[in-house]
Amino acid sequence: MKVIGFAGWSGSGKTTLVEQVIGILSQRGLAVSLVKHAHHTFDIDHQGKDSWRHRHAGCREVLISSGLRWSLMHELRGEDEMSLDDLLGKLSHCDLVLVEGFKRAAIPKIEVHRDAVPEPLLFPDDPNIVAVATDVAVSTTLPCLDINDPQAVADFVVDFAFNRCPAPAPAG
């Protein structure tokens, strides 16, 4: 699997850009998966549903299945949060994994930056950032992509992931 991340501060437009890029890559026939980091408590289940009741009764894992999809919820119950590598290992095979969030992960990342977000740029302190998607001129030798041109960002992702990204080291 090829992996490339999108990192940036809250409000920079990561989710919107990633959503657009996923649509473009999927239309090109690529099998794309996503790992998204949430900084807050989140729930994909709803109070009162059977699966919610089972989880709150103490189940460590609840798998829900239908003719359209399945979902596995795993409660950490005091265990440490899983690493990005461990999470990637949970995914089914695909052509490309996009990672949203995980700002500090040691994976190739596109920094998403908007002029309206006052936080500092990440790339000066992160050697894993390979490009900047932005709406403002940025002084860098990294490729600068127009945040409002998801087609160009998707082109960069494909070129980087399949032509420039080093192959993973052999296991062992």
Side-chain angles (χ1 to χ4, degrees):
M1 283 188 293
K2 301 292 187 171
V3 177
I4 190 163
F6 286 78
W9 300 104
S10 180
S12 63
K14 292 183 306 295
T15 299
T16 299
L17 181 59
V18 168
E19 177 185 14
Q20 293 168 334
V21 169
I22 289 169
I24 292 165
L25 297 175
S26 295
Q27 287 176 349
R28 293 182 185 179
L30 292 173
V32 181
S33 292
L34 176 85
V35 175
K36 178 175 174 51
H37 188 262
H39 290 284
H40 45 76
T41 303
F42 72 96
D43 205 341
I44 62 171
D45 208 0
H46 301 285
Q47 186 172 354
K49 293 291 189 182
D50 293 354
S51 53
W52 183 92
R53 292 170 58 195
H54 297 142
R55 196 164 43 94
H56 283 269
C59 278
R60 167 125 350 189
E61 291 188 327
V62 176
L63 192 144
I64 306 167
S65 178
S66 75
L68 297 177
R69 70 187 55 89
W70 66 269
S71 176
L72 175 65
M73 291 176 285
H74 179 96
E75 291 293 319
L76 292 175
R77 306 259 186 242
E79 295 175 12
D80 290 339
E81 182 177 356
M82 291 178 68
S83 71
L84 178 56
D85 284 341
D86 289 338
L87 293 169
L88 291 170
K90 298 285 186 187
L91 293 176
S92 299
H93 176 76
C94 62
D95 298 316
L96 181 64
V97 178
L98 302 183
V99 176
E100 183 181 339
F102 291 93
K103 268 197 275 300
R104 307 290 179 228
I107 60 169
K109 296 181 288 271
I110 296 171
E111 179 171 358
V112 180
H113 174 77
R114 285 202 185 274
D115 191 39
V117 177
E119 304 294 340
L121 286 158
L122 301 170
F123 77 82
D125 298 318
D126 187 345
N128 295 301
I129 293 178
V130 297
V132 180
T134 184
D135 63 352
V136 64
V138 175
S139 179
T140 180
T141 58
L142 293 172
C144 285
L145 310 167
D146 182 348
I147 196 171
N148 298 309
D149 186 354
Q151 188 77 41
V153 176
D155 290 343
F156 179 85
V157 166
V158 168
D159 180 52
F160 186 86
F162 296 101
N163 299 322
R164 294 192 254 166
C165 190

